[in-house]
Amino acid sequence: MIEWEETSSGLRVFDRTKTEVSIETDAWTPVEDGYDIDRPLDETVSGRVSELRLPPALVKATELETGEEYTHGGDADPLDLPPGEYLLNLSLNVKTYLRFSGAATIAKTPDYNELHVSFPDPVPVTFGFRSHHEEPVDTVTVPPTPAGVATAVTHLSSSHKVTGPDRSYPTLRGHPPRIDLGDETDVPDRVRDERFDVGIELVVPDSVEYAFVAAPLAYYLQAELRVEDRRRPVLRAPESGVDRRFGSLPRFQHEAAALLRRTFFMDCLVRNAGEYSWDLAELSLLDDVDVDAAATYAASPAEQLATYLDAPYERIDDDLPEWHLAMHVTPRAENAASLPYFLDKLSLVYLPESTDLEKDELLNKSIDDFYRADPDRTGSPRPSPAAGLVRKGPGPVRSVDRRNPVLHEGQVNGWLAEGVPIDVFKAVPDAYENRFDYFDRDGGDIDVTVVLNDEEMVDEHETVAGIYEERAERLPIDVTVHEHLSKAELADVLESPHDFVHYIGHCEEGGLRCRDGNLAVADLDRSRVQTFFLNACGSYYEGRDLIEKGSVAGAVTFTKVLNKQAAKVGVAFSQLLINGYDIAHAIQLARRRIMMGKDYAVVGDGTHQLTQCDNRYPITATLEEDGDDYRVEYTTLSMPNIGGVYQVYRDGDEKPRLHGNESAFTLDEPELLSHLERAKAPFVYDGDLFWSEELSAKIRGS
C-alpha cells in the first residue's frame, strides 16, 4: 500500500512501514490523464514538470519503441537521452518508475547526494510506485501432519509474480500466505489460481523434518511438495528428464541448501538476458559454466532446472555471495505457521543442533572474536574482561544458560527451538505477526523514546539521544527522553505506541529497575513498543516477554555487563539501528567493539528494520592501509533484498553487483576523504567501528 501527498517542494511518497521517498520538483502541476506503466504497481501519480530531484539511485532507462537501454549508476557524468518514449526504473526505498515522452538529461550532483532528471521544456510525466514491504493476503489451512505441511508449502509460492529467472528479483516475490492448522485442508481459490504449475515436484519421506527442510527449495522452485512412504527425497521434472536423488537427513538439509543456492544464483545471472537486465559485474561467470543466458532464459522452468543441474556450478560458487539467512527450527507442526515469514526472506531451514557451552569456552570464544576483528591486537596483552565497573543494582541478576549452536550456511542465523544459543537471534513466533500491527499506526513520524533509569550511565544516555536527534534532521523522527521513571511511568511507556524504546538502567530477577521498585514485563497488559534495546544486566527474559506481549524485536543481554562496555554497545547499536540496519546486523556490528560481545543478543524477528537507510541498502565497509593508499571493501547487509543489485557511487567504471558480494577498490588519501564525506556508512578500521564522519576526522588527524 502506497500513499502520497503534495508538499511545498514536490511530492512525498510513503508506505505503511514509514518508508518514504521525497521528490522535489520545479512547479509540479497535477494532470488527470497519465501514461500507462506495464509493471506491478501500488499507486501512480501524474503531473507536468521541467525538472525532478530525487535521492541518488541506480537508473535504467528503456526506450519503449526500440527497446534500447541506457543505465546511469555510480558515475557522476550526465546521461543525455535523445527524444523518445521512456520508462525509467529507479532503485529507491520505494520501488519507483518514471514514464515520459521526449528528451531528458539524467545526472547526479557532484557530491552524489541527489539525482536530477531534467527536460528541455515542461512535460507530462507519470510516476509508478510499489512498496518493497508486503504482508500475507490469504491463509492456507492444513492439518498438523507432514502431508498438511507439504500442501501448505506447495501453495506458498502463489505469491510469486513470475516464473523463471526473474523470480530471483525480490520485488517479484510477494509475501507468502499465512499457514493455519486445522482439522481439514482449506486452500482459497485465489491461492490455487495464482500458483504457477511449473511441472516440478519434490517428494520427501513422510515426516515433518523432511517437509521443513525441503520448504525453501520447493518454495523457490515453485515445485509441488509431496510426502510419501520412501527413504530418501527425490526432485523430478518429467518434461526435462530431471530425476535428482538426495541423501537422508541430516545430509539432505545440506544438499537442499546447496541446490537452492545453485538455482537462485544461476537465475540471478541468467535473468540479465530478459527485460529486467543489469550489466552485472558477475555476468562473466556464465562463460565459466558454459551456460547460454538467452537460450536458458527462454526455456521452461523445468528445462532451466536441468540446465543448472548439468552446469559445473562449483567453478563459480566461491565468486557468489554468502547466503544471507538460515533458521534453525524444531520440526513440530505448530512451527509451520512461521514458515511463510522465513520463506519471504528466502531463509534456509536447518534442524537445530547445539552443545553445552562451558564458562571457559564462552570466554575464549568471546575473546577470540574480539581479537579476530583486529589481528593487530594479538600483539598486546589481553585485558581481563572483569576489569571495570559492573552495572549493578540492589537485587540479583537473572542470567541465561547459553548453548553452542552447530551452524552451517548463513551470514545471520535464527533459532526457533529449545535453548538459548550464542551467535543467533532467538526467534519468537509471535514477533512475525506482531510486525503487521505497526503498519497502520496513526502519524507518519518514527517515535523514539530514551529512558535513563541509571545515573551512572548518563554518558550513554546523552550520546544516544544526540544520535537520534541528529537522525531526525533527515527523517521524520520524534525523540522523547525520560529519566528516573517509576514502575507506573515505565509501564505507561511500554504500553503506549512507540517505534523504539532504548532503556538504560538495571534489570534484576524482579524485572526492570525503577525508582520505586522493579517492573516485570509479564505484568503488562500489552506491549505497544515496536522495537527496543534493554541495555541492562540480564535483560533477556524481560525482552522475550516484550515480544510475547506485542513487540517485534529487540536487543538484550544474557548476564551482568560492564558499564563502559554497555555504553560502547549502546551507542554503536543506536546509531546502526536508527540508520536503517536490521536488528541482527546492528547488534553483530555493535558488539564487536567490546571483548565480551557474546553477552548481547537479539530476541524476536532479527531481520526487522526500524527505519530506511540513506544509502538505500545498509552496508558495511572495511578500510586497510595499502602503502600510501587505502584499500576499501564494501558489502551490503540487506536481508529483504537478496537477489537485488547495488552499486557504489564513485568515479570509475564500477558495475552493479549482487547483494552480498564485495566491491573493492583502492583510493589515495584525498580520494578517500572525498569518498568518506558522502559515504554515510560504518567502516571497520584498525579493529574498531567508525562512521564515515568519524573516520574522516581520524585520518585527517593522523
Side-chain angles (χ1 to χ4, degrees), residues 20 30 73 110 120 130 162 191 200 218 231 322 341 394 412 425 441 480 536 577 582:
E20 68 173 54
R130 183 172 74 246
V162 295
V191 172
I200 300 173
R231 293 178 58 193
E322 179 183 6
Y341 310 109
V412 171
F425 67 84
R441 281 192 170 176
T480 304
L577 183 72
D582 63 76

Side-chain angles (χ1 to χ4, degrees), residues 238-280:
E239 174 195 346
S240 58
V242 170
D243 187 34
R244 169 68 185 273
R245 309 277 169 159
F246 297 97
S248 302
L249 284 170
R251 178 180 168 186
F252 173 58
Q253 60 185 350
H254 305 295
E255 293 175 328
L259 183 52
L260 173 57
R261 176 181 174 84
R262 172 189 291 249
T263 306
F264 178 80
F265 285 124
M266 289 298 294
D267 273 350
C268 288
L269 300 177
V270 168
R271 72 190 183 194
N272 294 282
E275 61 177 317
Y276 304 113
S277 61
W278 291 97
D279 184 19
L280 285 181

Side-chain angles (χ1 to χ4, degrees), residues 35 65 82-86 99-104 119-126:
Y35 293 100
E65 293 183 347
E85 301 290 330
Y86 288 100
R99 176 84 164 80
F100 62 89
S101 177
F119 308 96
D121 299 296
V123 298
V125 302
T126 296

Side-chain angles (χ1 to χ4, degrees), residues 211-224:
F212 271 44
V213 169
L217 179 61
Y219 166 73
Y220 184 72
L221 291 178
Q222 299 162 287
E224 178 184 2

Side-chain angles (χ1 to χ4, degrees), residues 497-548:
H498 298 289
D499 292 301
F500 179 58
V501 169
H502 189 145
Y503 172 87
I504 304 167
H506 300 294
C507 184
E508 300 155 5
E509 287 185 352
L512 301 173
R513 186 70 182 166
C514 302
R515 69 169 186 262
D516 58 349
N518 290 351
L519 173 68
V521 171
D523 293 338
L524 296 177
D525 174 54
R526 178 169 176 77
S527 170
R528 292 179 173 83
V529 172
Q530 182 181 168
T531 59
F532 56 86
F533 186 16
L534 302 183
N535 202 4
C537 294
S539 60
Y540 168 80
Y541 292 104
E542 299 304 315
R544 184 194 62 187
D545 288 346
L546 277 173
I547 304 297
E548 294 177 349

Side-chain angles (χ1 to χ4, degrees), residues 64 68 142 144 216 274 314 344 451 534 559 582:
L64 297 176
E68 189 166 357
V142 294
E314 61 280 355
D344 181 50
V451 177
L534 302 183
T559 187
D582 63 76

Side-chain angles (χ1 to χ4, degrees), residues 298-349:
S300 69
E303 292 167 335
Q304 290 160 356
L305 176 60
T307 298
Y308 298 161
L309 287 171
D310 289 340
Y313 174 79
E314 61 280 355
R315 295 178 186 173
I316 64 172
D317 188 52
D318 290 342
D319 296 313
L320 293 164
E322 179 183 6
W323 201 259
H324 58 296
L325 178 63
M327 296 300 301
H328 302 255
V329 184
T330 297
R332 290 198 297 259
E334 57 265 31
N335 284 339
S338 297
L339 286 177
Y341 310 109
F342 303 157
L343 301 186
D344 181 50
K345 293 185 170 64
L346 276 191
S347 174
L348 302 173
V349 174

Side-chain angles (χ1 to χ4, degrees), residues 21 213 282 571 628:
V21 169
V213 169
E282 297 90 350
V571 169
D628 293 333

